[in-house]
Amino acid sequence: MAAKLSGSGGGKYTVEANSDINVTPFVDIMLVLLIIFMVAAPLATVSVPVKLPRAVAPPAPNPPKPIFISVQNGGEVWIGDFRTSVGTLGDDLKSQIGTRDPDQERIFIRADQDTRYGDFMQVMNALQDNGFYSVALVGEDLS
């Protein structure tokens, strides 16, 4: 903080605070940064001319359609809109996925909140018995 030694009022040794902003250090720092960036900017560019080939990537395949299994309150099992049973669940799922690998396939299970736990576990066991190990449980979104 700067101080005024002479001025109006007070005595010979009265010191007043100077509230003016000193911008000289700010300007000095900004000029140093400007010089640093002016020197560093040409180093960041590549100066060797190269004719690059066109990059044509093959289109990415669409992800497979997700498969939903619905378990209703009475124990009825559905694959999408197709009704099935626990006994034929594995074969019906394999016909739905076609040539895709059951180990890599994710199955989404939707179950009614009043479904018996035993009915739900029968569906889970049927999935595991037929090689479907990646299972996701679907719940209601509260937002």
Side-chain angles (χ1 to χ4, degrees):
M1 181 189 297
K4 272 187 184 177
L5 294 178
S6 63
S8 62
K12 183 177 178 183
Y13 299 107
T14 302
V15 178
E16 295 178 16
N18 184 4
S19 62
D20 294 337
I21 297 173
N22 189 0
V23 295
T24 305
F26 176 71
V27 172
D28 289 343
I29 291 172
M30 296 312 285
L31 288 174
V32 169
L33 288 174
L34 178 66
I35 292 170
I36 290 172
F37 288 130
M38 288 174 58
V39 170
L43 299 176
T45 61
V46 179
S47 61
V48 178
V50 175
K51 185 176 179 182
L52 296 173
R54 291 184 57 207
V56 180
N62 291 334
K65 181 180 175 186
I67 296 179
F68 287 93
I69 295 178
S70 301
V71 183
Q72 290 183 324
N73 186 15
E76 296 89 14
V77 180
W78 298 75
I79 300 174
D81 295 330
F82 173 69
R83 187 175 178 151
T84 186
S85 67
V86 175
T88 60
L89 181 63
D91 295 331
D92 292 339
L93 267 176
K94 288 178 183 176
S95 68
Q96 286 277 335
I97 66 168
T99 60
R100 296 181 294 200
D101 184 18
D103 291 337
Q104 303 299 323
E105 194 68 32
R106 176 169 286 171
I107 308 296
F108 295 91
I109 298 181
R110 302 170 57 235
D112 190 88
Q113 67 182 358
D114 296 325
T115 301
R116 288 187 29 222
Y117 183 70
D119 294 337
F120 178 77
M121 285 308 297
Q122 284 180 347
V123 171
M124 292 290 291
N125 290 334
L127 290 173
Q128 287 183 349
D129 291 343
N130 288 285
F132 295 97
Y133 298 110
S134 181
V135 175
L137 303 178
V138 179
E140 184 178 356
D141 189 15
L142 296 178
S143 59

